[in-house]
Short mmCIF file of all heavy atoms in Angstrom, two decimals:
data_model
loop_
_atom_site.label_atom_id
_atom_site.label_comp_id
_atom_site.label_asym_id
_atom_site.label_seq_id
_atom_site.Cartn_x
_atom_site.Cartn_y
_atom_site.Cartn_z
N ASP M 287 18.08 1.93 3.68
CA ASP M 287 17.35 0.80 3.10
C ASP M 287 15.84 0.89 3.28
O ASP M 287 15.14 -0.10 3.08
CB ASP M 287 17.85 -0.54 3.65
CG ASP M 287 19.30 -0.80 3.28
OD1 ASP M 287 19.71 -0.39 2.17
OD2 ASP M 287 20.03 -1.40 4.09
N ALA M 288 15.31 2.06 3.64
CA ALA M 288 13.86 2.20 3.78
C ALA M 288 13.16 1.98 2.44
O ALA M 288 12.03 1.53 2.40
CB ALA M 288 13.51 3.57 4.33
N ASP M 289 13.85 2.31 1.36
CA ASP M 289 13.28 2.14 0.02
C ASP M 289 13.97 0.99 -0.72
O ASP M 289 14.14 1.02 -1.94
CB ASP M 289 13.43 3.43 -0.79
CG ASP M 289 12.61 4.56 -0.18
OD1 ASP M 289 11.54 4.27 0.39
OD2 ASP M 289 13.04 5.71 -0.27
N ALA M 290 14.34 -0.05 0.02
CA ALA M 290 15.05 -1.18 -0.59
C ALA M 290 14.24 -1.84 -1.69
O ALA M 290 14.80 -2.38 -2.64
CB ALA M 290 15.43 -2.20 0.49
N TRP M 291 12.92 -1.78 -1.60
CA TRP M 291 12.07 -2.40 -2.62
C TRP M 291 12.34 -1.81 -4.00
O TRP M 291 12.15 -2.48 -5.01
CB TRP M 291 10.59 -2.23 -2.26
CG TRP M 291 10.17 -0.80 -2.19
CD1 TRP M 291 10.22 0.02 -1.11
CD2 TRP M 291 9.63 -0.02 -3.25
NE1 TRP M 291 9.76 1.27 -1.42
CE2 TRP M 291 9.39 1.27 -2.74
CE3 TRP M 291 9.34 -0.29 -4.59
CZ2 TRP M 291 8.88 2.29 -3.53
CZ3 TRP M 291 8.81 0.74 -5.35
CH2 TRP M 291 8.59 2.00 -4.83
N GLU M 292 12.83 -0.58 -4.06
CA GLU M 292 13.11 0.05 -5.35
C GLU M 292 14.31 -0.59 -6.05
O GLU M 292 14.44 -0.48 -7.26
CB GLU M 292 13.35 1.54 -5.18
CG GLU M 292 12.11 2.30 -4.78
CD GLU M 292 12.35 3.78 -4.61
OE1 GLU M 292 13.45 4.17 -4.16
OE2 GLU M 292 11.43 4.55 -4.92
N SER M 293 15.18 -1.25 -5.31
CA SER M 293 16.36 -1.87 -5.91
C SER M 293 16.05 -3.22 -6.54
O SER M 293 16.87 -3.78 -7.25
CB SER M 293 17.46 -2.04 -4.86
OG SER M 293 17.08 -3.06 -3.93
N GLY M 294 14.88 -3.77 -6.23
CA GLY M 294 14.51 -5.06 -6.79
C GLY M 294 14.88 -6.23 -5.90
O GLY M 294 14.63 -7.38 -6.24
N ARG M 295 15.49 -5.97 -4.77
CA ARG M 295 15.88 -7.05 -3.86
C ARG M 295 15.66 -6.60 -2.42
O ARG M 295 16.15 -5.57 -2.00
CB ARG M 295 17.34 -7.41 -4.07
CG ARG M 295 17.78 -8.61 -3.29
CD ARG M 295 19.08 -9.16 -3.88
NE ARG M 295 19.53 -10.31 -3.15
CZ ARG M 295 19.06 -11.54 -3.32
NH1 ARG M 295 18.12 -11.75 -4.20
NH2 ARG M 295 19.51 -12.54 -2.62
N THR M 296 14.91 -7.40 -1.67
CA THR M 296 14.61 -7.04 -0.28
C THR M 296 14.27 -8.29 0.52
O THR M 296 14.02 -9.35 -0.06
CB THR M 296 13.46 -6.02 -0.21
OG1 THR M 296 13.30 -5.60 1.13
CG2 THR M 296 12.16 -6.61 -0.69
N VAL M 297 14.27 -8.18 1.82
CA VAL M 297 13.91 -9.28 2.70
C VAL M 297 12.39 -9.35 2.79
O VAL M 297 11.73 -8.33 2.90
CB VAL M 297 14.51 -9.06 4.11
CG1 VAL M 297 14.04 -10.12 5.08
CG2 VAL M 297 16.02 -9.02 4.04
N GLN M 298 11.85 -10.55 2.76
CA GLN M 298 10.41 -10.75 2.87
C GLN M 298 10.13 -11.69 4.04
O GLN M 298 10.90 -12.60 4.31
CB GLN M 298 9.83 -11.38 1.60
CG GLN M 298 9.89 -10.48 0.39
CD GLN M 298 8.93 -9.32 0.51
OE1 GLN M 298 7.79 -9.51 0.89
NE2 GLN M 298 9.39 -8.14 0.17
#
Side-chain angles (χ1 to χ4, degrees):
D287 297 325
D289 296 327
W291 62 272
E292 291 180 325
S293 70
R295 186 162 180 81
T296 186
V297 174
Q298 293 290 315

